[in-house]
Amino acid sequence: MCGIVGYVGEGEAQDIILEGLARLEYRGYDSAGISLLQDGALATCKRVGKLAVLRTVLETTPLRGRLGIGHTRWATHGAPAEENAHPHWDVAQDIAVVHNGIIENFQELRQELEATGIVFRSATDSEVLPHLIQQYYQGDLIEAVRLALQRVRGAYAIGVLHRGEPEVLVGARQGSPLILGLGQGEYFIGSDASAVVKHTRQVIYLNDGELCKLTPAGYHIIDMTGAPARHTPSTIDWDPVQAEKEGYPHYMLKEIFQQPEVLRHALLAYVDSKNNIEMPDLGLDSQRLAGLRRIVIVACGTAWHAGLVGKYMVEQFARIPVEVDLASEFRYGNRVLDADTLVIPVTQSGETADTLEAVRIARTNGAPVIGIVNVVGSSIARSADGVIYTHAGPEIGVASTKAYTSQLCALALFSLYMGRIRNTVTPEDVATQLTQLREIPGKLEQCLEQADAIAACARKDHYMHAKNAMFIGRGVNYPSAMEGALKLKEISYIHVEGYAAGEMKHGPIALVTPELPVVCLAPQGSVYEKVRSNLEEIRARGGVILSIATEGDDNIKTISNDVLYIPACAEMFSPLLVAAPLQLIAYYIACGLGRDVDQPRNLAKSVTVE
Ligand code: M6R
């Protein structure tokens, strides 16, 4: 969602901010803007649409200055329009503010400010901030921001400038991410590390309720009482090149092809040569883990699908009951939680607002929390008792691909680890499972080698130009069907549903016609025959069937229009393999339809508001 970049130093703020905003484009946005302190006045430029539109304007009329803030906006309050784009400023145009989050009491604050004669220019909640800060300003910007924020309810990450303090950049965070980048004589703020990584790898992750004041001479962090806050800078351990397309036409395709390498990396991180699974950052000792009575996995979107697969894995290997909840339902569901219930948030970004709130609720209710998280240092990683990092590296495409398979891998390893602790699997069982899991990256490569054949299949008229489609699967591949459906719908805009194959006769089979493609997950395994029966029923009603089956299953061709094959593998790990053809089908259909694959309409990569 919204992206924030701020800069103070000796460099050209416009160039640095535009470059940082470009790195945040992946978060999703519909307008962009920038404010600089130029010749003692605030100079602002905002445009609706892609950053390229803003960049074109700034090429002809550049803003010059050493202090500035920039923003990419994902509309919440008020349509995507120039007046609603950030930065926003106060009446005297002394103060400029960029904001990510939602100010819940903005109506009340707006009425109060309007009663003093202030005329608002936008429909946004964010515009209350510059007016409010101005009310408290008495020559010290960070103090005015601190006092103003005490009036604000909701979530925010902000960057603030004042015309009268030409070397001061102020940031603050509550519920939305903000990091500080520490350079030599120059300092940055950003919504995440990718905004600053070109300039510095030294960052500080601001905590909720903290404010920072940056000048070319250094930085100072305080809490909401005004007391200094101590931080040790962290070093970003990934290279900026990892966030480039590296020759691929889209980030999504690059990230699909990175999966074998990502899985190998994750396996090496957690499994030693003697088949011991080491998870050093769980934050709970073995005795506590062994005594757990229940696990609740909370997540959104693709991560929720990974959690659903995780339920099969944990229940199979560790024999402990698992519930999987959508974080947005969990947070208002008054769930039963206690010290013997482990809550596992699964999240790529570590910043998803609903998942973060689920973590807070779990901890408030005394439940231990272990996050399965990709982004190191993210809010969820830092607020859980322990963490299992998925080691997927930066994922830029809005459609989650390598993050998903790395979450599956982490869940598989965690379930085996728990199985050993609880004595529900023997060391020999673990060794057997790990042998099969280690084969997955190589088998995934075999799946990806078929990309051209998958592209040819996806581009067939009856798939690419379908108005509706259905994905079905059973058992551990029921969540795979939902994930395949989500992948296709979010980047192609085709209406797709993911269903448990066994549910077809309970309603959805009424939809089957020769115009309805049904993608069926039919790898060999305990439910294979059942899935075949479902296919026969669809076939008998004229449905168009694309099956994903195990190599050597020639027979399935007789009841399918098309078949894509995956190598034989352990049933429990088959979701890791079927993910590849599902992702590629979605990718090639979306490309064929001319969609914006990496930044699909209306979507944001990091959903930092509720
Ligand atoms: O960062 P998270 O894993 O918490 O994000 C959760 C979902 O927003 C995310 O998986 C979303 O569903 C993706 N666009 C799916 O491809």
Side-chain angles (χ1 to χ4, degrees):
M1 285 192 159
C2 306
I4 288 178
V5 184
Y7 175 77
V8 60
E10 286 305 312
E12 278 297 343
Q14 174 185 296
D15 302 343
I16 292 163
I17 291 168
L18 283 178
E19 205 271 333
L21 290 178
R23 300 245 175 212
L24 296 179
E25 273 193 298
Y26 78 96
R27 296 168 70 89
Y29 69 105
D30 38 54
S31 56
I34 178 170
S35 279
L36 257 62
L37 192 67
Q38 177 173 276
D39 303 327
L42 287 181
T44 298
C45 183
K46 314 198 264 191
R47 285 296 181 274
V48 174
K50 293 285 179 193
L51 204 53
V53 181
L54 181 72
R55 203 187 279 280
T56 308
V57 181
L58 289 169
E59 267 163 21
T60 42
T61 42
L63 304 182
R64 296 281 171 232
R66 313 269 180 239
L67 167 69
I69 47 178
H71 189 263
T72 47
R73 173 175 187 255
W74 190 88
T76 57
H77 296 62
E82 213 162 292
E83 67 273 15
N84 291 332
H86 299 215
H88 293 287
W89 54 86
D90 66 319
V91 175
Q93 299 199 19
D94 287 336
I95 296 167
V97 176
V98 287
H99 167 227
N100 171 20
I102 290 180
I103 296 172
E104 286 165 7
N105 60 336
F106 86 98
Q107 288 286 18
E108 163 192 329
L109 292 170
R110 183 170 173 142
Q111 277 166 16
E112 178 188 313
L113 291 159
E114 281 174 338
T116 68
I118 291 170
V119 178
F120 277 68
R121 295 182 197 87
S122 76
T124 64
D125 55 332
S126 311
E127 199 192 334
V128 298
L129 289 171
H131 299 302
L132 199 60
I133 293 167
Q134 192 279 330
Q135 305 259 306
Y136 289 97
Y137 188 74
Q138 291 193 335
D140 182 355
L141 184 58
I142 190 167
E143 180 61 4
V145 173
R146 186 181 77 81
L147 294 172
L149 290 178
Q150 287 177 355
R151 305 281 321 281
V152 168
R153 274 200 323 274
Y156 53 78
I158 60 172
V160 192
L161 307 180
H162 192 289
R163 192 164 65 90
E165 298 187 41
E167 296 206 317
V168 175
L169 169 62
V170 169
R173 112 160 235 179
Q174 175 63 48
S176 296
L178 195 70
I179 61 114
L180 275 62
L182 316 179
Q184 299 291 329
E186 57 180 5
Y187 292 87
F188 310 79
I189 55 172
S191 291
D192 64 47
S194 56
V196 305
V197 71
K198 190 176 168 206
H199 306 280
T200 177
R201 298 231 183 148
Q202 291 297 107
V203 297
I204 286 176
Y205 300 98
L206 219 56
N207 291 323
D208 278 347
E210 288 182 342
L211 302 96
C212 62
K213 175 177 173 175
L214 312 179
T215 70
Y219 66 90
H220 181 55
I221 302 173
I222 57 170
D223 65 19
M224 283 302 259
T225 69
R230 286 189 162 278
H231 277 269
T232 309
S234 309
T235 305
I236 300 167
D237 66 353
W238 49 271
D239 198 283
V241 175
Q242 280 181 265
E244 312 269 340
K245 283 189 200 149
E246 295 182 281
Y248 285 90
H250 296 101
Y251 284 110
M252 181 179 176
L253 192 63
K254 171 187 157 185
E255 287 157 4
I256 290 171
F257 275 85
Q258 279 182 316
Q259 292 177 108
E261 173 200 333
V262 163
L263 297 183
R264 285 193 183 101
H265 191 57
L267 287 165
L268 276 176
Y270 294 116
V271 187
D272 70 15
S273 55
K274 294 188 179 127
N275 284 331
N276 295 310
I277 301 172
E278 304 282 354
M279 299 202 145
D281 301 320
L282 292 182
L284 303 180
D285 60 29
S286 304
Q287 209 183 344
R288 183 90 192 274
L289 286 168
L292 292 169
R293 285 188 300 113
R294 174 173 160 251
I295 291 178
V296 179
I297 297 177
V298 287
C300 303
T302 287
W304 179 65
H305 297 150
L308 290 170
V309 176
K311 172 181 167 74
Y312 286 87
M313 293 170 166
V314 176
E315 291 188 342
Q316 168 80 22
F317 296 129
R319 306 303 296 154
I320 181 166
V322 180
E323 291 157 36
V324 189
D325 228 344
L326 288 163
S328 53
E329 290 298 312
F330 177 94
R331 68 183 290 181
Y332 297 111
N334 195 17
R335 301 295 191 243
V336 181
L337 296 166
D338 55 34
D340 297 330
T341 300
L342 173 66
V343 172
I344 303 183
V346 181
T347 169
Q348 187 285 129
S349 62
E351 302 292 350
T352 301
D354 286 326
T355 313
L356 183 56
E357 179 60 11
V359 170
R360 195 194 61 74
I361 291 168
R363 289 180 63 98
T364 308
N365 285 279
V369 177
I370 297 176
I372 295 185
V373 183
N374 188 34
V375 177
V376 176
S378 56
S379 301
I380 292 172
R382 287 183 300 131
S383 50
D385 295 289
V387 64
I388 303 170
Y389 282 118
T390 53
H391 297 288
E395 188 181 69
I396 310 291
V398 162
S400 193
T401 53
K402 63 174 179 171
Y404 171 66
T405 41
S406 70
Q407 287 160 354
L408 296 184
C409 184
L411 283 158
L413 292 173
F414 176 72
S415 61
L416 291 168
Y417 180 86
M418 285 293 285
R420 275 308 298 130
I421 285 179
R422 292 168 58 80
N423 237 342
T424 48
V425 284
T426 64
E428 294 72 33
D429 294 332
V430 171
T432 308
Q433 296 300 328
L434 287 176
T435 303
Q436 313 214 46
L437 196 51
R438 281 201 197 89
E439 288 172 0
I440 293 292
K443 291 180 177 179
L444 201 47
E445 269 159 1
Q446 292 173 39
C447 295
L448 294 171
E449 279 162 17
Q450 299 171 52
D452 288 345
I454 295 171
C457 176
R459 287 185 188 128
K460 288 184 182 177
D461 249 19
H462 47 272
Y463 301 126
M464 204 167 91
H465 296 293
K467 294 271 174 287
N468 304 284
M470 187 164 274
F471 283 56
I472 59 170
R474 272 181 185 252
V476 74
N477 281 307
Y478 162 40
S480 302
M482 289 197 280
E483 173 57 9
L486 176 63
K487 224 65 322 161
L488 181 56
K489 83 175 78 159
E490 70 179 326
I491 62 169
S492 72
Y493 318 148
I494 295 171
H495 169 231
V496 195
E497 299 211 32
Y499 250 97
E503 274 289 297
M504 286 302 281
K505 285 198 281 291
H506 300 284
I509 202 165
L511 296 172
V512 174
T513 67
E515 278 72 55
L516 183 85
V518 180
V519 177
C520 180
L521 298 170
Q524 291 298 329
S526 58
V527 289
Y528 174 75
E529 292 301 335
K530 304 287 173 198
V531 173
R532 265 198 74 112
S533 306
N534 297 127
L535 277 188
E536 297 280 6
E537 290 155 8
I538 294 164
R539 185 76 170 165
R541 285 156 185 85
V544 181
I545 296 171
L546 167 53
S547 294
I548 297 177
T550 304
E551 271 164 15
D553 181 1
D554 291 333
N555 193 266
I556 202 160
K557 289 180 184 164
T558 59
I559 49 167
S560 310
N561 297 67
D562 294 283
V563 183
L564 299 172
Y565 286 107
I566 60 164
C569 69
E571 182 175 3
M572 198 52 83
F573 305 138
S574 60
L576 286 140
L577 292 190
V578 300
L582 292 175
Q583 293 161 354
L584 288 170
I585 290 168
Y587 174 78
Y588 288 117
I589 289 181
C591 288
L593 293 171
R595 307 298 191 224
D596 187 347
V597 170
D598 283 335
Q599 292 170 32
R601 72 179 178 206
N602 303 339
L603 290 180
K605 178 71 182 163
S606 192
V607 184
T608 53
V609 295
E610 191 178 349

